[in-house]
Amino acid sequence: MRTDLAALFIIFGGSGDLAQRKLYPALFNLYQKGYLKEHFAVIGTARRPWSDEHYHEIIMTSLAGFEADETVKKTFASHFYYQSHDVTDAQHYETLKQLAAKLDDQYQLQQNRIYYMAMSPRFFGTIASHLGSEALLTADGFNRLIIEKPFGRDYDSAKILNDELTQTFEEDQIYRIDHYLGKEMIQNIMALRFGNGLLGAVWNKQFIDNVQITLAESVGVEDRAGYYETSGALRDMMQNHIMQVIGMLAMEMPVSFSAEDVQREKTRLFKSIQPYTPAEIKTNFVRAQYGETPVEGQTQPGYRQETNVAPASQTETFVAGKVLIDNERWCGVPFYVRTGKRLARKETQINIVFKKTGVNIFAPDKNDQSAVAPDVLTIFVEPEQGFALTLNGKKVGQGFELVSGQLAYQYNQQMLADSPEAYERLILEALNGDGTNFTHWRELAASWQFVDAIRKVWDADQTALPTYPIGSMGPKEATELVQSTGAEWIFDPTQSK
Ligand code: NAD
């Protein structure tokens, strides 16, 4: 891979939470690793009238967790420039253009530009059209737009936004971030699937009984109720992260590992997802809210008691569902998904549950499958990272009893020491012009259409949402959903307490 890349980053929302908590540390990591050296500069823009000196202090504060030498941090911070900028004011883009041209000369940036939208999505379209109309894009270098979620709140609004962006940027200049795709173990799905003949041979309906994806959070809504009330778990987690994980697990092998081929296969897969009728949505998808619950001697607030949440809010904090894929590889194999807040443990885990043997010769009744556990491939995404294959063996001793054992491959701290954080990885990929781990518009369109159908049924349904206790793994309806096909959720931290 090339090192010492040349680029100017223009960050819209340079004083915001995302910029300070994620982007500046990610850029510093790239700096320390030598991907960014002399030839980079950052213009942070936001409304506040900050000086460059104050901005440098903000950068230094955001690097507080790094053990690096102060002079290294200060040299890094000296590449940052602040521009007070109202994104709706055309005049401000002229000033921005002049500063960008000056820095381009000063740092020899080869007219390469990354425009990073790190502010409220309602401004994304405005910024992109001003970048076009005020001629910020350069003629010779690259111009790439990195855009944060949420990308729309349904298909229609996403389409309007995309139409706005594509008036200035081509599809291959737009890098839609889904930070899940920057996670080590999510990227590892490709290695497991397409790097192992053994798994490749059994990765289909003939051998796989069901697939389970859990994105569990232990925190509640925290201080994000304003946003969350308009979003809910379906839009916040299902439309993007869970759909992308389904895409990685279920797509066909791409012709190559290029962005174009990977995105094409994911799009094809999303188009193969079985659309549900309103009645099927009611039986195949479950929503719920965390309710007021006594935990460790005190009552913890339920979702409706949280600050800035409507007392009769119908916003779901939990979603579980069964997704079916109508193609030759997967027809009839349920993909069970669930995500929620205030669950038993913060953990993201994927379980590929294989079919059991046809007969059980170890039991008095050969048709009695109850004593045989299914083989399971578990992918630990976070906090632990690794994978494990659970197989049956013989229990040591007299008689003949089956017992489950694991072939486990856990990444330890030493192995993970070099693992870049998701933003660091994705920013570097955007710098290198590699869109493999970003979302193509066609993927996004298909995933919104699937999620919109569910939202429409739920919005029309005024029955009270079920609640689930804080610290559980969701409502009983989510358990019943999986049990209805004779399966069980493999990941159940409430059992191992
Ligand atoms: P924030 O509210 O902390 O920051 C918003 C920024 O926009 C501030 O710098 C503010 O000054 C600036 N701004 C607002 N109005 C402006 C205007 N008219 N002109 C110029 N600047 C203006 O928001 P955030 O949490 O940093 O989130 C930014 C984006 O990133 C959002 O799309 C969010 O959904 C997404 N995101 C954030 C996180 C996170 O961890 N914070 C995670 C994932 C996605």
Side-chain angles (χ1 to χ4, degrees), residues 12-19 21-22 45-48 85-88 117-124 148-150 179 423:
F12 295 95
S15 64
D17 175 69
L18 179 78
R21 270 192 323 109
K22 298 288 184 186
T45 82
R47 269 179 313 187
R48 296 175 206 184
H85 178 94
D86 182 343
V87 296
T88 58
M117 306 257 193
M119 51 188 295
S120 167
R122 70 178 190 281
F123 295 119
F124 292 168
E148 274 296 333
K149 78 163 196 179
H179 72 273
Y423 277 94

Side-chain angles (χ1 to χ4, degrees), residues 28-45:
F28 187 59
N29 274 326
L30 293 176
Y31 181 71
Q32 284 193 302
K33 291 177 186 169
Y35 292 109
L36 299 176
K37 279 187 195 155
E38 305 296 323
H39 304 296
F40 85 98
V42 180
I43 304 177
T45 82

Side-chain angles (χ1 to χ4, degrees), residues 47-69:
R47 269 179 313 187
R48 296 175 206 184
W50 283 355
S51 63
D52 283 348
E53 291 68 32
H54 181 68
Y55 190 38
H56 292 170
E57 284 166 23
I58 297 284
I59 305 300
M60 293 299 281
T61 309
S62 75
L63 305 183
F66 289 87
E67 278 172 14
D69 196 285

Side-chain angles (χ1 to χ4, degrees), residues 327-381:
N327 68 17
E328 191 51 28
R329 181 182 296 278
W330 294 116
C331 61
V333 179
F335 281 64
Y336 293 112
V337 299
R338 68 183 161 166
T339 182
K341 291 192 178 295
R342 287 286 201 195
L343 298 181
R345 193 156 86 203
K346 175 177 169 52
E347 180 147 354
T348 297
Q349 193 179 108
I350 298 163
N351 288 290
I352 316 294
V353 185
F354 291 92
K355 288 186 171 161
K356 294 182 183 183
T357 53
V359 289
N360 177 9
I361 60 165
F362 310 113
D365 173 2
K366 284 190 185 177
N367 293 319
D368 178 10
Q369 291 286 339
S370 60
V372 186
D375 300 341
V376 179
L377 173 69
T378 302
I379 303 173
F380 300 95
V381 179

Side-chain angles (χ1 to χ4, degrees), residues 219-327:
V219 294
V221 70
E222 298 179 298
D223 55 1
R224 292 173 68 224
Y227 157 73
Y228 202 77
E229 276 282 90
T230 62
S231 156
L234 187 70
R235 287 191 176 107
D236 191 43
M237 302 292 278
M238 173 82 199
Q239 179 273 327
N240 35 58
H241 310 319
I242 290 185
M243 292 297 284
Q244 284 296 325
V245 175
I246 294 176
M248 301 285 279
L249 289 169
M251 70 177 166
E252 294 300 309
M253 184 193 261
V255 174
S256 76
F257 197 38
S258 70
E260 194 188 347
D261 289 332
V262 171
Q263 291 174 339
R264 182 185 299 122
E265 287 308 332
K266 264 195 275 158
T267 304
R268 264 159 49 98
L269 188 274
F270 290 143
K271 286 187 174 168
S272 308
I273 291 180
Q274 189 179 109
Y276 285 143
T277 63
E280 286 168 338
I281 286 169
K282 285 188 179 169
T283 49
N284 289 318
F285 270 85
V286 169
R287 59 179 170 152
Q289 272 177 350
Y290 59 89
E292 221 174 9
T293 315
V295 178
E296 287 160 7
Q298 15 169 318
T299 297
Q300 296 223 344
Y303 179 67
R304 290 183 178 187
Q305 288 80 43
E306 300 273 21
T307 312
N308 294 329
V309 171
S313 172
Q314 286 285 97
T315 304
E316 75 286 349
T317 62
F318 177 94
V319 179
K322 177 165 89 177
V323 176
L324 293 170
I325 296 165
D326 284 339
N327 68 17

